[in-house]
Amino acid sequence: MTSHDTTLEELGLSSAVAALIAAHPSGFTPGRVVRSDRGYAFVQSARGLHVAKPATHLVKHADDGGLPVVGDWVLLGGDESEPLVEVVLERTTAIARRDPGHAARMQILAANVDIVFITHPLAEPPNLSRIERELALVWDSGAQPVIVLTKADLSEDVDAAREAVGGIAFGVDVLTTSSANGAGIEDVASRLGHGRTAALIGPSGSGKSTLVNALAGQDVQETREVRVSDGRGRHTTVSRELITLPDGGLIIDTPGLRAVGMWDSAEGLAQAFSDIEELAQGCRFRDCRHEGEPGCAVEAAVGSGELPERRLTSFRELQAEVAHVNTQIGIRARLEKKREDKVLARTIKDFYRQGHGHK
Ligand SMILES: Nc1nc2c(ncn2[C@@H]2O[C@H](COP(=O)(O)OP(=O)(O)OP(=O)(O)O)[C@@H](O)[C@H]2O)c(=O)[nH]1
Ligand SMILES: [Mg+2]
Ligand SMILES: [Zn+2]
């Protein structure tokens, strides 16, 4: 990305974001995070590229997604040599997963994304359970998911794969691409448009960066070299990056995800499994858990072959995961409350000890 002649409009500024910016004091420099890496936010503003640290009041809320991430609109303060991200503007969408390193924390992968391409390579049969997980994550973010089955040139039966994926992705388009012969790239490009922001997620090696390069018409992102000995699952892309495409669209390339842990994504889950939610309307009990209750329409659908057992199992697993995360969020909140209460008690004690209470 060139650092001089970028306008905020070219970075995807909408009137809603412009209004958010206008609601803050004018002394700040507005910009968009084009890359987040090792605690630094690379912020593009109308004045250039700034490598900024988040202000301490943001660091305090790191566990709740308070830190700037790629795609965020931010306001910069501090001075020219040491810019600080002072404000992270309200996000329109945020793709959140459970932090793989901390069970009770979330990690935001990207913010203010309109559309998410969920990529899966067709070199192997599609991993339906993983796609279901990613769909729940994306629906929950507020962005529109689109599934992109890559490496179609390596598939024995593209139609079968498409059909299998279509059967678990309601209200979601399923596209196939091949960077080897250019097939389907236009379909992906047509979803992008001036000022629209897309993001790519999916396993490492699924061809996300290759797709970005195809859309950009040049090699802007490094891709994995084809090497037979390269079987270590190395990640080629290491940071999340927002790239401006020649036609005015924006796309966020991300490093491949090993684990896609669910965060507090009950709504996204309901949307990703709308077929089961719909069947559940027919259960005798409103709070039916579809676990052997009489008059369960969901289990009846499994029995009749209408609903694959695999899908119900997948739904249950994800539901259990979300419930577990919520328990952990609750425990963390209680611990934090306890700690705060202790500090407050000590503060009050000190206050009286200093003789203030005797007047
Ligand atoms: N045959 C074929 N190979 C492809 C296609 N797309 C990507 N590849 C190859 O797959 C390998 C991985 O592609 P990348 O684009 O680096 O994958 P990535 O998803 O960005 O991987 P990470 O950055 O590690 O997450 C490279 O060797 C690409 O050349 C395709 O459509 N067909
Ligand atoms: Mg990559
Ligand atoms: Zn039921």
Side-chain angles (χ1 to χ4, degrees), residues 279-280 282-285 288-291 293-299:
L279 285 168
C283 293
R284 185 177 305 161
F285 303 112
C288 185
R289 298 174 57 206
H290 327 309
E291 283 173 4
E293 288 96 331
C296 174
V298 173
E299 284 185 309

Side-chain angles (χ1 to χ4, degrees), residues 128-144:
L128 300 181
S129 301
R130 179 165 172 147
I131 296 176
E132 284 168 335
R133 212 171 245 285
E134 290 173 339
L135 280 171
L137 200 88
V138 175
W139 279 125
D140 208 67
S141 75
Q144 172 68 41

Side-chain angles (χ1 to χ4, degrees), residues 27-246:
F28 294 124
T29 304
R32 194 166 193 196
V33 180
V34 294
R35 180 173 169 185
S36 42
D37 199 5
R38 272 161 255 170
Y40 284 92
F42 290 63
V43 179
Q44 184 77 43
S45 81
R47 296 195 290 129
L49 187 68
H50 317 258
V51 183
K53 268 190 173 170
T56 20
H57 66 269
L58 296 180
V59 177
K60 273 188 196 150
H61 295 103
D63 292 355
D64 304 305
L67 292 178
V69 300
V70 68
D72 264 326
W73 286 97
V74 298
L75 300 178
L76 294 177
D79 52 44
E80 204 78 25
S81 62
E82 270 183 66
L84 280 178
V85 176
E86 290 286 356
V87 179
V88 175
L89 293 170
E90 199 183 316
R91 295 169 176 139
T92 53
T93 63
I95 311 169
R97 71 160 167 176
R98 191 175 66 233
D99 188 328
H102 310 267
R105 288 185 200 167
M106 60 131 90
Q107 182 188 53
I108 298 183
L109 298 174
N112 302 315
V113 170
D114 302 301
I115 178 169
V116 178
F117 297 118
I118 297 176
T119 60
H120 269 270
L122 281 186
E124 56 225 60
N127 180 342
L128 300 181
S129 301
R130 179 165 172 147
I131 296 176
E132 284 168 335
R133 212 171 245 285
E134 290 173 339
L135 280 171
L137 200 88
V138 175
W139 279 125
D140 208 67
S141 75
Q144 172 68 41
V146 170
I147 295 171
V148 181
L149 302 173
T150 58
K151 308 194 185 184
D153 54 288
L154 299 180
S155 171
E156 307 263 286
D157 195 343
V158 175
D159 289 336
R162 262 183 99 118
E163 204 181 307
V165 174
I168 61 153
F170 303 98
V172 177
D173 288 341
V174 182
L175 312 178
T176 52
T177 60
S178 166
S179 66
N181 57 31
I185 306 291
E186 265 310 306
D187 274 349
V188 177
S190 71
R191 314 288 157 135
L192 296 160
H194 192 87
R196 263 166 83 78
T197 304
L200 290 157
I201 64 168
S204 186
S206 61
K208 298 179 293 299
S209 302
T210 306
L211 193 55
V212 168
N213 290 342
L215 293 166
Q218 56 173 308
D219 287 356
V220 286
Q221 286 293 87
E222 200 184 320
T223 58
R224 183 182 303 178
E225 277 173 52
V226 188
R227 247 189 292 141
V228 186
S229 62
D230 195 19
R232 293 229 237 110
R234 183 171 56 93
H235 289 237
T236 308
T237 305
V238 290
S239 63
R240 298 180 243 283
E241 200 143 346
L242 179 84
I243 293 133
T244 310
L245 297 171

